[in-house]
Structures are given as structure tokens and as C-alpha cells.
Amino acid sequence: AGMLAVDTRSGATLYARNPDDEFQPASTLKLVVGSAALDRLGEDERFRTSAAVTHDWALVVHGGGDALLTEGDADALAVAAVRAGIRKVRGIVVDAARYDRNPYAPGWTWDDFTFDYAAKPSALALEENVVHVHVSPGRFVGAPARWTVDPPAVAVQSSAVTLPAGAPTTVDVDPDPAGRLHLSGGIAIGARAHAIDAAVADPRAYAAKAIALRLATHGVKVLARPPARAFDPQQPQRTFWSHYSLPLAQLLPKFWIPSDNFVGEMLLKELGYRAGGAPGTAAKGIAAEKRWLVSLGVDPASVTLADGSGLSQYDRITPRDLVTILQHDWNGPYRSIVLDALPVGGARGTIEGIAGTPAAGRIFAKTGSMMHVRGLAGYLSTERHGAVTFAFSVDDWNGAYASLAAVRAAVLSRIIED
């Protein structure tokens, strides 16, 4: 266990336990890329996605790093195409060259790759590169389970069956290298639909198919996807649609409060793009983060950065480093943005063990949770003293997580009340 608590105004240490030990941070590492992005990109930064047609009627969609592009945005693209007089295109080209195509960071575990929280980042990302699968029971025991996919841009093969009433749901999904999803297991007759969010194997193909489906819905014919050699990125293009993401100040709560791994990886590659040009890579982003940390006074030897989300087993950071970042955020121009973007114990987000304690409503902090790891770093609103900045890190934990959460709540409540 490691902890550092300091007077937010003066920086004076109030309590320290192993503050310079390096801990696996889990999602508290998201404070690094989120705060660095605020400093380096600015609160008003937006990410632009655009669509254009070439002289020979290929439709080109340019990805600009919007992590929260939706199927609704793809529909808006199709509506704009119709308004621009486009009735058919000879194919869809997805331009995702802003970032590299390396999907996973060192230290990610392979059995995470199917799940939405480990989706592959890409400069053009639709629905966070996740497909939404809904599975329902058939009409009788032993019948094939029924399923739908939204958007219907991924092929599905299913061996899932209907189980007897009361049986546990065992439906699972596995992708194959060709991009198909395989459903297996079963769901009980009479059970409610079971939802699974699955990461797609090929983000570019997924986006192209989803956009083609939306175009077809609005009467635009897509003849065939042109081969890569048939598309020259330097040829003239007529832009007919642009979409801008939320500004970074509004994106941050959608990143930190739900602890969205995908947004973290996208921001890391964007930092790499801004620092080193195309393609934006995690390595370039990490180098930019380290330069930023040094500017705050952090010893780079005390930090091991492997990704933007904290999902990597290789990430390490000290409680002192987290407190340094938080002090910088408090004393800089973005204090209110940061406070609005952090979970609040007992009020918004999921901070374990805080509801019903004296700390409820008085903790503004980023959580971090993995197997054997729990972290929390942020600010305390004390009853009499004023603000306290803290980081509480635990790894190699083999006990009950509820017990650890209770201890942490008691420690933080002591600071708040004392």
C-alpha cells in the first residue's frame, strides 16, 4: 500500500506511506493522458471527421481521431451525401492514416481482446470499434437462439441454443481473423435479451460497411470498394460533410467518469500525432507524455508508461507522481474542468465503499481497478481544513475487495473529519 496526502494550497505533506514506490496504476493512469491532452491540445480542441468524393466518384471518409463517433453520425453523413446530389459511389475508402494500425500495447492480455474495453484504436472509429450484439431465446428448448447485431456491419455465425427455464445464460462471443463473430453457449427460454459488446477485428472494414449500409438506406448505391491502388490520396476531392467532436473539456467527463479505455488510447495516439506527425503512435504519445511530466518536475525514472488507459500489466507510477499531476491541474487554468470530469464518491461514477461514509460527496477522484490492484487519486473536501490532494495505491492484493474499499474509505474519512 502507498499513499500521499498533501495540503492542496501549500503542497505540505499531511500523510505519507511509501509515496515513492512504483505501483501498478490501472485506470488512475488515465490522469496522465487526460491532463497532458488538456495542456497540450487545449480545452476547446475538437476532432474532425469528414467525407468527400473524388472525380471518379469514390467516397473517402477521413478519420480525425474522434473517439466517440456514432452510427448516428454515419447516418448524418449519408443524409449529407443525398443533399449534395450524390446518388451512387463506386466504393468507400477509409482514410485512417492519422494513426498507425498497431492495435495493442505491450502488457495487454490476449484474453481481453474480444471485449469492448480492449477495442482497437483507429483514426476513424465508429461506435468505439465495438458492435452491439443482442441474444434472445428461441420459441422452445433446444431451438437456436435469436440474435441481432447493431450496426449490422459484421458477419455472425451462431451455435447458441435455447436452454430450459431458469438455466444460467452462457452466451459468449469470439471473433475470428476474418472479422466474423461466433456466438456460442445458451440462454434460457423466457429470459430477457442478453447484450454483449464485442470489439471488431478490422475497424476500417467495419466503418466502411456501416457507412455503406447507411448510404443504401438513404438511396445511395455503393457499387464496390475500390482496390487500394485505385485510390490516390493526392487527387482532388470535394468535401460534402464534416463532423466535429465534443470539445476536449466536454470529452473528459466521458473519459474519466466511465473510465473509457478506448478514449485513453485514442488520446495517446493523438498526442503522438501532434508531437511527431503522422502516423500518431503510442510510442510518440508516451514520449510526449514524458516530456510533459518532466516539465511538472516528475522524475521520468519513477514512471513506466506502456499505454494510455492503464490496461497494460507493465504500467507503473508512484503516488507522488499522481499527486504532482493533480496539483498541476488544481493550480492551472483547468481546475474546474478537471473537477467536473472526475467521479465523486457516493454521487457519480463508481468509487467503491464511499456511499454512506463521511467521505460521501467529498471525494473527487479517478479510480483504478484490476485484478489484485486498486487505486484512487484526486481531491478531498475536508470539513474544516480545505482541499487535500491525495493518491492511494494498492497492488498485490489477495483479500476481499470490499474489505480493502472499507479500509480506504475509513482512511479518507479520517482525513476529511480530522
Side-chain angles (χ1 to χ4, degrees):
M3 184 176 177
L4 180 63
V6 305
D7 181 308
T8 305
R9 290 169 295 184
S10 69
T13 297
L14 304 176
Y15 177 79
R17 175 189 175 93
N18 302 323
D20 298 305
D21 283 6
E22 296 176 21
F23 290 85
Q24 189 171 347
S27 287
T28 58
L29 192 75
K30 292 180 172 73
L31 290 169
V32 178
V33 71
S35 297
L38 265 180
D39 265 13
R40 293 296 186 246
L41 307 181
E43 62 181 294
D44 297 322
E45 181 64 28
R46 295 173 182 258
F47 304 95
R48 177 175 179 258
T49 308
S50 63
V53 288
T54 63
H55 71 282
D56 56 353
W57 295 101
L59 190 151
V60 186
V61 186
H62 298 281
D66 185 351
L68 301 181
L69 199 69
T70 68
E71 191 182 9
D73 298 323
D75 193 73
L77 183 159
V79 170
V82 173
R83 290 175 176 169
I86 299 169
R87 294 296 178 263
K88 69 179 179 180
V89 296
R90 70 180 184 91
I92 298 173
V93 176
V94 171
D95 171 20
R98 188 182 187 92
Y99 302 158
D100 71 351
R101 299 185 67 180
N102 186 10
Y104 304 123
W108 284 22
T109 54
W110 67 268
D111 49 347
D112 287 336
F113 296 166
T114 300
F115 299 101
D116 57 333
Y117 60 80
K120 299 175 178 178
S122 59
L124 182 67
L126 189 68
E127 294 289 330
E128 299 196 43
N129 291 336
V130 164
V131 66
H132 312 289
V133 183
H134 300 271
V135 184
S136 301
R139 292 186 176 182
F140 56 86
V141 174
R146 295 174 291 181
W147 51 265
T148 60
V149 177
D150 181 30
V154 176
V156 176
Q157 295 179 339
S158 176
S159 61
V161 298
T162 305
L163 303 175
T169 297
T170 59
V171 174
D172 202 358
V173 61
D174 290 294
D176 66 18
R180 295 182 295 259
L181 294 176
H182 296 263
L183 294 176
S184 60
I187 184 169
I189 193 165
R192 292 182 178 181
H194 181 67
I196 304 173
D197 287 343
V200 299
D202 186 339
R204 296 198 302 179
Y206 172 57
K209 180 66 180 294
I211 291 168
L213 290 170
R214 300 317 305 167
L215 288 167
T217 297
H218 291 279
V220 180
K221 293 182 179 180
V222 181
L223 303 181
R225 182 176 178 179
R229 65 179 179 275
F231 172 67
D232 177 6
Q234 301 302 318
Q235 66 179 296
Q237 301 174 23
R238 174 169 64 92
T239 299
F240 65 87
W241 177 79
S242 290
H243 171 77
Y244 289 88
S245 72
L246 293 172
L248 187 56
Q250 295 178 35
L251 174 64
L252 208 58
K254 297 179 179 296
F255 173 34
W256 280 347
I257 292 175
S259 203
D260 192 318
N261 293 334
F262 186 78
V263 176
E265 300 309 323
M266 293 284 280
L267 285 178
L268 183 64
K269 294 204 175 193
E270 182 64 21
L271 286 175
Y273 171 80
R274 298 301 180 92
T281 68
K284 291 178 184 176
I286 288 168
E289 284 181 328
K290 287 185 174 180
R291 291 191 294 270
W292 176 74
L293 288 169
V294 168
S295 75
L296 307 189
V298 171
D299 179 358
S302 67
V303 180
T304 300
L305 303 176
D307 62 9
S309 63
L311 196 60
S312 174
Q313 300 290 323
Y314 300 158
D315 293 319
R316 294 293 185 273
I317 197 166
T318 71
R320 190 181 303 280
D321 295 338
L322 290 171
V323 166
T324 299
I325 293 167
L326 290 160
Q327 285 289 89
H328 170 78
D329 288 342
W330 182 275
N331 293 313
Y334 303 124
R335 180 193 299 177
S336 61
I337 292 172
V338 168
L339 289 173
D340 287 343
L342 289 171
V344 179
R348 69 177 181 226
T350 53
I351 303 179
E352 297 169 285
I354 299 302
T357 74
R362 291 181 172 272
I363 294 180
F364 298 72
K366 182 70 198 77
T367 58
S369 301
M370 294 176 70
M371 289 295 291
H372 310 294
V373 174
R374 288 294 186 271
L376 192 65
Y379 309 100
L380 305 177
S381 174
T382 68
E383 292 182 355
R384 291 176 294 276
H385 175 80
V388 168
T389 308
F390 78 98
F392 191 115
S393 303
V394 178
D395 55 19
D396 296 332
W397 177 259
N398 289 312
Y401 293 116
S403 299
L404 176 58
V407 170
R408 183 174 67 189
V411 171
L412 298 178
S413 293
R414 171 71 180 272
I415 296 173
I416 287 167
E417 292 183 310
D418 194 332

mmCIF file of all heavy atoms in Angstrom, residues 29-63:
data_model
loop_
_atom_site.group_PDB
_atom_site.id
_atom_site.type_symbol
_atom_site.label_atom_id
_atom_site.label_comp_id
_atom_site.label_asym_id
_atom_site.label_seq_id
_atom_site.Cartn_x
_atom_site.Cartn_y
_atom_site.Cartn_z
ATOM 1 N N LEU A 29 -3.965 5.736 -14.224
ATOM 2 C CA LEU A 29 -3.027 6.220 -15.243
ATOM 3 C C LEU A 29 -3.719 7.142 -16.248
ATOM 4 O O LEU A 29 -3.059 7.952 -16.910
ATOM 5 C CB LEU A 29 -2.388 5.042 -15.978
ATOM 6 C CG LEU A 29 -1.189 5.402 -16.856
ATOM 7 C CD1 LEU A 29 0.038 5.673 -15.994
ATOM 8 C CD2 LEU A 29 -0.892 4.315 -17.876
ATOM 9 N N LYS A 30 -5.032 7.046 -16.371
ATOM 10 C CA LYS A 30 -5.756 7.915 -17.298
ATOM 11 C C LYS A 30 -5.606 9.393 -16.929
ATOM 12 O O LYS A 30 -5.843 10.270 -17.767
ATOM 13 C CB LYS A 30 -7.231 7.528 -17.343
ATOM 14 C CG LYS A 30 -7.508 6.158 -17.970
ATOM 15 C CD LYS A 30 -8.991 5.855 -17.983
ATOM 16 C CE LYS A 30 -9.322 4.601 -18.774
ATOM 17 N NZ LYS A 30 -8.940 3.356 -18.083
ATOM 18 N N LEU A 31 -5.227 9.683 -15.683
ATOM 19 C CA LEU A 31 -4.953 11.069 -15.310
ATOM 20 C C LEU A 31 -3.799 11.638 -16.133
ATOM 21 O O LEU A 31 -3.767 12.840 -16.417
ATOM 22 C CB LEU A 31 -4.622 11.164 -13.822
ATOM 23 C CG LEU A 31 -5.774 10.924 -12.848
ATOM 24 C CD1 LEU A 31 -5.240 10.783 -11.429
ATOM 25 C CD2 LEU A 31 -6.798 12.038 -12.934
ATOM 26 N N VAL A 32 -2.848 10.789 -16.502
ATOM 27 C CA VAL A 32 -1.680 11.264 -17.247
ATOM 28 C C VAL A 32 -2.103 11.756 -18.624
ATOM 29 O O VAL A 32 -1.865 12.920 -18.991
ATOM 30 C CB VAL A 32 -0.608 10.163 -17.363
ATOM 31 C CG1 VAL A 32 0.585 10.675 -18.181
ATOM 32 C CG2 VAL A 32 -0.146 9.701 -15.983
ATOM 33 N N VAL A 33 -2.736 10.891 -19.414
ATOM 34 C CA VAL A 33 -3.044 11.276 -20.792
ATOM 35 C C VAL A 33 -4.139 12.347 -20.834
ATOM 36 O O VAL A 33 -4.091 13.253 -21.673
ATOM 37 C CB VAL A 33 -3.438 10.040 -21.633
ATOM 38 C CG1 VAL A 33 -4.800 9.495 -21.246
ATOM 39 C CG2 VAL A 33 -3.388 10.357 -23.120
ATOM 40 N N GLY A 34 -5.119 12.291 -19.913
ATOM 41 C CA GLY A 34 -6.163 13.308 -19.915
ATOM 42 C C GLY A 34 -5.629 14.683 -19.565
ATOM 43 O O GLY A 34 -5.943 15.682 -20.231
ATOM 44 N N SER A 35 -4.804 14.763 -18.527
ATOM 45 C CA SER A 35 -4.249 16.060 -18.117
ATOM 46 C C SER A 35 -3.243 16.576 -19.135
ATOM 47 O O SER A 35 -3.197 17.781 -19.421
ATOM 48 C CB SER A 35 -3.598 15.932 -16.739
ATOM 49 O OG SER A 35 -4.552 15.577 -15.758
ATOM 50 N N ALA A 36 -2.424 15.681 -19.692
ATOM 51 C CA ALA A 36 -1.470 16.095 -20.723
ATOM 52 C C ALA A 36 -2.207 16.621 -21.952
ATOM 53 O O ALA A 36 -1.792 17.615 -22.568
ATOM 54 C CB ALA A 36 -0.560 14.935 -21.096
ATOM 55 N N ALA A 37 -3.295 15.961 -22.338
ATOM 56 C CA ALA A 37 -4.060 16.420 -23.502
ATOM 57 C C ALA A 37 -4.656 17.803 -23.259
ATOM 58 O O ALA A 37 -4.648 18.651 -24.163
ATOM 59 C CB ALA A 37 -5.156 15.406 -23.828
ATOM 60 N N LEU A 38 -5.175 18.043 -22.050
ATOM 61 C CA LEU A 38 -5.694 19.383 -21.741
ATOM 62 C C LEU A 38 -4.614 20.435 -21.919
ATOM 63 O O LEU A 38 -4.846 21.501 -22.503
ATOM 64 C CB LEU A 38 -6.214 19.421 -20.306
ATOM 65 C CG LEU A 38 -7.694 19.187 -20.060
ATOM 66 C CD1 LEU A 38 -8.002 19.270 -18.576
ATOM 67 C CD2 LEU A 38 -8.568 20.152 -20.848
ATOM 68 N N ASP A 39 -3.424 20.157 -21.409
ATOM 69 C CA ASP A 39 -2.328 21.119 -21.510
ATOM 70 C C ASP A 39 -1.851 21.309 -22.939
ATOM 71 O O ASP A 39 -1.604 22.437 -23.389
ATOM 72 C CB ASP A 39 -1.152 20.660 -20.640
ATOM 73 C CG ASP A 39 -1.170 21.285 -19.258
ATOM 74 O OD1 ASP A 39 -2.211 21.870 -18.882
ATOM 75 O OD2 ASP A 39 -0.153 21.183 -18.549
ATOM 76 N N ARG A 40 -1.685 20.205 -23.650
ATOM 77 C CA ARG A 40 -1.058 20.270 -24.968
ATOM 78 C C ARG A 40 -2.046 20.616 -26.090
ATOM 79 O O ARG A 40 -1.669 21.239 -27.083
ATOM 80 C CB ARG A 40 -0.360 18.944 -25.280
ATOM 81 C CG ARG A 40 0.847 18.660 -24.391
ATOM 82 C CD ARG A 40 1.935 19.704 -24.618
ATOM 83 N NE ARG A 40 3.159 19.393 -23.885
ATOM 84 C CZ ARG A 40 3.634 20.114 -22.892
ATOM 85 N NH1 ARG A 40 2.967 21.187 -22.491
ATOM 86 N NH2 ARG A 40 4.763 19.793 -22.290
ATOM 87 N N LEU A 41 -3.311 20.200 -25.956
ATOM 88 C CA LEU A 41 -4.286 20.429 -27.021
ATOM 89 C C LEU A 41 -5.231 21.571 -26.711
ATOM 90 O O LEU A 41 -5.731 22.229 -27.627
ATOM 91 C CB LEU A 41 -5.097 19.151 -27.276
ATOM 92 C CG LEU A 41 -4.306 17.866 -27.537
ATOM 93 C CD1 LEU A 41 -5.251 16.709 -27.792
ATOM 94 C CD2 LEU A 41 -3.333 18.048 -28.693
ATOM 95 N N GLY A 42 -5.528 21.795 -25.423
ATOM 96 C CA GLY A 42 -6.423 22.872 -25.033
ATOM 97 C C GLY A 42 -7.850 22.395 -24.852
ATOM 98 O O GLY A 42 -8.286 21.409 -25.454
ATOM 99 N N GLU A 43 -8.597 23.107 -24.034
ATOM 100 C CA GLU A 43 -9.948 22.686 -23.671
ATOM 101 C C GLU A 43 -10.924 22.728 -24.832
ATOM 102 O O GLU A 43 -11.939 22.029 -24.836
ATOM 103 C CB GLU A 43 -10.487 23.563 -22.544
ATOM 104 C CG GLU A 43 -10.622 25.030 -22.900
ATOM 105 C CD GLU A 43 -11.149 25.863 -21.748
ATOM 106 O OE1 GLU A 43 -12.311 25.654 -21.352
ATOM 107 O OE2 GLU A 43 -10.383 26.709 -21.246
ATOM 108 N N ASP A 44 -10.651 23.541 -25.855
ATOM 109 C CA ASP A 44 -11.581 23.703 -26.968
ATOM 110 C C ASP A 44 -11.280 22.776 -28.143
ATOM 111 O O ASP A 44 -11.973 22.836 -29.167
ATOM 112 C CB ASP A 44 -11.563 25.153 -27.462
ATOM 113 C CG ASP A 44 -12.044 26.122 -26.406
ATOM 114 O OD1 ASP A 44 -12.993 25.774 -25.673
ATOM 115 O OD2 ASP A 44 -11.459 27.223 -26.290
ATOM 116 N N GLU A 45 -10.273 21.938 -28.006
ATOM 117 C CA GLU A 45 -9.880 21.062 -29.115
ATOM 118 C C GLU A 45 -11.015 20.125 -29.507
ATOM 119 O O GLU A 45 -11.646 19.478 -28.668
ATOM 120 C CB GLU A 45 -8.649 20.240 -28.729
ATOM 121 C CG GLU A 45 -8.142 19.324 -29.819
ATOM 122 C CD GLU A 45 -7.651 20.070 -31.041
ATOM 123 O OE1 GLU A 45 -7.210 21.228 -30.892
ATOM 124 O OE2 GLU A 45 -7.689 19.502 -32.148
ATOM 125 N N ARG A 46 -11.279 20.058 -30.820
ATOM 126 C CA ARG A 46 -12.277 19.139 -31.370
ATOM 127 C C ARG A 46 -11.614 18.278 -32.434
ATOM 128 O O ARG A 46 -10.633 18.694 -33.066
ATOM 129 C CB ARG A 46 -13.451 19.900 -31.988
ATOM 130 C CG ARG A 46 -14.283 20.706 -30.995
ATOM 131 C CD ARG A 46 -15.312 21.554 -31.731
ATOM 132 N NE ARG A 46 -16.108 22.382 -30.847
ATOM 133 C CZ ARG A 46 -17.353 22.090 -30.474
ATOM 134 N NH1 ARG A 46 -17.920 20.975 -30.910
ATOM 135 N NH2 ARG A 46 -18.020 22.890 -29.679
ATOM 136 N N PHE A 47 -12.164 17.115 -32.665
ATOM 137 C CA PHE A 47 -11.613 16.183 -33.641
ATOM 138 C C PHE A 47 -12.567 16.098 -34.829
ATOM 139 O O PHE A 47 -13.753 15.815 -34.670
ATOM 140 C CB PHE A 47 -11.402 14.813 -33.002
ATOM 141 C CG PHE A 47 -10.521 14.882 -31.775
ATOM 142 C CD1 PHE A 47 -11.076 14.974 -30.514
ATOM 143 C CD2 PHE A 47 -9.143 14.888 -31.908
ATOM 144 C CE1 PHE A 47 -10.276 15.061 -29.385
ATOM 145 C CE2 PHE A 47 -8.331 14.980 -30.789
ATOM 146 C CZ PHE A 47 -8.895 15.063 -29.525
ATOM 147 N N ARG A 48 -12.028 16.351 -36.027
ATOM 148 C CA ARG A 48 -12.859 16.488 -37.225
ATOM 149 C C ARG A 48 -12.839 15.209 -38.064
ATOM 150 O O ARG A 48 -11.778 14.670 -38.385
ATOM 151 C CB ARG A 48 -12.353 17.654 -38.072
ATOM 152 C CG ARG A 48 -13.098 17.867 -39.393
ATOM 153 C CD ARG A 48 -12.588 19.112 -40.087
ATOM 154 N NE ARG A 48 -13.246 19.364 -41.362
ATOM 155 C CZ ARG A 48 -12.702 19.091 -42.542
ATOM 156 N NH1 ARG A 48 -11.478 18.567 -42.610
ATOM 157 N NH2 ARG A 48 -13.369 19.349 -43.664
ATOM 158 N N THR A 49 -14.017 14.741 -38.404
ATOM 159 C CA THR A 49 -14.201 13.664 -39.382
ATOM 160 C C THR A 49 -14.866 14.276 -40.598
ATOM 161 O O THR A 49 -15.797 15.083 -40.464
ATOM 162 C CB THR A 49 -15.099 12.557 -38.801
ATOM 163 O OG1 THR A 49 -14.594 12.145 -37.538
ATOM 164 C CG2 THR A 49 -15.145 11.362 -39.741
ATOM 165 N N SER A 50 -14.417 13.902 -41.800
ATOM 166 C CA SER A 50 -15.001 14.487 -43.000
ATOM 167 C C SER A 50 -15.186 13.415 -44.067
ATOM 168 O O SER A 50 -14.582 12.343 -44.024
ATOM 169 C CB SER A 50 -14.118 15.622 -43.541
ATOM 170 O OG SER A 50 -12.856 15.129 -43.942
ATOM 171 N N ALA A 51 -16.052 13.733 -45.025
ATOM 172 C CA ALA A 51 -16.289 12.835 -46.154
ATOM 173 C C ALA A 51 -16.245 13.645 -47.437
ATOM 174 O O ALA A 51 -16.701 14.797 -47.482
ATOM 175 C CB ALA A 51 -17.637 12.134 -46.017
ATOM 176 N N ALA A 52 -15.685 13.030 -48.475
ATOM 177 C CA ALA A 52 -15.524 13.710 -49.763
ATOM 178 C C ALA A 52 -15.719 12.709 -50.888
ATOM 179 O O ALA A 52 -15.668 11.485 -50.675
ATOM 180 C CB ALA A 52 -14.132 14.346 -49.856
ATOM 181 N N VAL A 53 -15.953 13.213 -52.088
ATOM 182 C CA VAL A 53 -15.982 12.363 -53.279
ATOM 183 C C VAL A 53 -14.884 12.815 -54.226
ATOM 184 O O VAL A 53 -14.552 14.003 -54.300
ATOM 185 C CB VAL A 53 -17.350 12.406 -53.989
ATOM 186 C CG1 VAL A 53 -18.398 11.665 -53.177
ATOM 187 C CG2 VAL A 53 -17.786 13.834 -54.267
ATOM 188 N N THR A 54 -14.320 11.845 -54.930
ATOM 189 C CA THR A 54 -13.291 12.129 -55.923
ATOM 190 C C THR A 54 -13.956 12.349 -57.283
ATOM 191 O O THR A 54 -15.173 12.158 -57.444
ATOM 192 C CB THR A 54 -12.301 10.965 -56.023
ATOM 193 O OG1 THR A 54 -12.993 9.794 -56.486
ATOM 194 C CG2 THR A 54 -11.696 10.657 -54.647
ATOM 195 N N HIS A 55 -13.144 12.724 -58.283
ATOM 196 C CA HIS A 55 -13.701 12.992 -59.613
ATOM 197 C C HIS A 55 -14.331 11.744 -60.219
ATOM 198 O O HIS A 55 -15.228 11.830 -61.061
ATOM 199 C CB HIS A 55 -12.607 13.531 -60.543
ATOM 200 C CG HIS A 55 -11.590 12.506 -60.935
ATOM 201 N ND1 HIS A 55 -10.561 12.122 -60.087
ATOM 202 C CD2 HIS A 55 -11.451 11.763 -62.068
ATOM 203 C CE1 HIS A 55 -9.831 11.202 -60.696
ATOM 204 N NE2 HIS A 55 -10.342 10.970 -61.887
ATOM 205 N N ASP A 56 -13.842 10.554 -59.819
ATOM 206 C CA ASP A 56 -14.413 9.319 -60.366
ATOM 207 C C ASP A 56 -15.375 8.651 -59.375
ATOM 208 O O ASP A 56 -15.622 7.461 -59.428
ATOM 209 C CB ASP A 56 -13.307 8.347 -60.784
ATOM 210 C CG ASP A 56 -12.344 8.025 -59.649
ATOM 211 O OD1 ASP A 56 -12.449 8.651 -58.573
ATOM 212 O OD2 ASP A 56 -11.497 7.125 -59.831
ATOM 213 N N TRP A 57 -15.895 9.434 -58.405
ATOM 214 C CA TRP A 57 -16.980 9.028 -57.523
ATOM 215 C C TRP A 57 -16.609 7.915 -56.555
ATOM 216 O O TRP A 57 -17.415 7.031 -56.255
ATOM 217 C CB TRP A 57 -18.234 8.648 -58.321
ATOM 218 C CG TRP A 57 -18.779 9.837 -59.048
ATOM 219 C CD1 TRP A 57 -18.619 10.138 -60.367
ATOM 220 C CD2 TRP A 57 -19.506 10.924 -58.477
ATOM 221 N NE1 TRP A 57 -19.208 11.338 -60.673
ATOM 222 C CE2 TRP A 57 -19.770 11.849 -59.524
ATOM 223 C CE3 TRP A 57 -19.962 11.214 -57.198
ATOM 224 C CZ2 TRP A 57 -20.465 13.028 -59.325
ATOM 225 C CZ3 TRP A 57 -20.667 12.397 -56.998
ATOM 226 C CH2 TRP A 57 -20.914 13.286 -58.053
ATOM 227 N N ALA A 58 -15.403 7.966 -56.057
ATOM 228 C CA ALA A 58 -15.086 7.191 -54.859
ATOM 229 C C ALA A 58 -15.399 8.075 -53.658
ATOM 230 O O ALA A 58 -15.148 9.276 -53.673
ATOM 231 C CB ALA A 58 -13.614 6.787 -54.844
ATOM 232 N N LEU A 59 -15.975 7.489 -52.634
ATOM 233 C CA LEU A 59 -16.279 8.238 -51.417
ATOM 234 C C LEU A 59 -15.162 7.989 -50.412
ATOM 235 O O LEU A 59 -14.849 6.833 -50.102
ATOM 236 C CB LEU A 59 -17.629 7.806 -50.845
ATOM 237 C CG LEU A 59 -18.189 8.663 -49.705
ATOM 238 C CD1 LEU A 59 -19.715 8.631 -49.713
ATOM 239 C CD2 LEU A 59 -17.700 8.183 -48.341
ATOM 240 N N VAL A 60 -14.574 9.070 -49.917
ATOM 241 C CA VAL A 60 -13.443 8.973 -48.998
ATOM 242 C C VAL A 60 -13.860 9.557 -47.652
ATOM 243 O O VAL A 60 -14.344 10.691 -47.584
ATOM 244 C CB VAL A 60 -12.209 9.746 -49.526
ATOM 245 C CG1 VAL A 60 -11.007 9.497 -48.616
ATOM 246 C CG2 VAL A 60 -11.896 9.330 -50.962
ATOM 247 N N VAL A 61 -13.689 8.767 -46.597
ATOM 248 C CA VAL A 61 -14.004 9.225 -45.246
ATOM 249 C C VAL A 61 -12.682 9.397 -44.508
ATOM 250 O O VAL A 61 -11.919 8.436 -44.349
ATOM 251 C CB VAL A 61 -14.912 8.234 -44.505
ATOM 252 C CG1 VAL A 61 -15.325 8.817 -43.155
ATOM 253 C CG2 VAL A 61 -16.135 7.890 -45.336
ATOM 254 N N HIS A 62 -12.410 10.616 -44.074
ATOM 255 C CA HIS A 62 -11.144 10.947 -43.413
ATOM 256 C C HIS A 62 -11.333 10.931 -41.892
ATOM 257 O O HIS A 62 -12.130 11.697 -41.350
ATOM 258 C CB HIS A 62 -10.661 12.333 -43.855
ATOM 259 C CG HIS A 62 -10.374 12.437 -45.322
ATOM 260 N ND1 HIS A 62 -9.216 11.955 -45.886
ATOM 261 C CD2 HIS A 62 -11.113 12.959 -46.339
ATOM 262 C CE1 HIS A 62 -9.238 12.191 -47.194
ATOM 263 N NE2 HIS A 62 -10.384 12.789 -47.494
ATOM 264 N N GLY A 63 -10.597 10.072 -41.225
ATOM 265 C CA GLY A 63 -10.667 9.985 -39.776
ATOM 266 C C GLY A 63 -9.766 11.002 -39.117
ATOM 267 O O GLY A 63 -8.602 11.154 -39.494
#
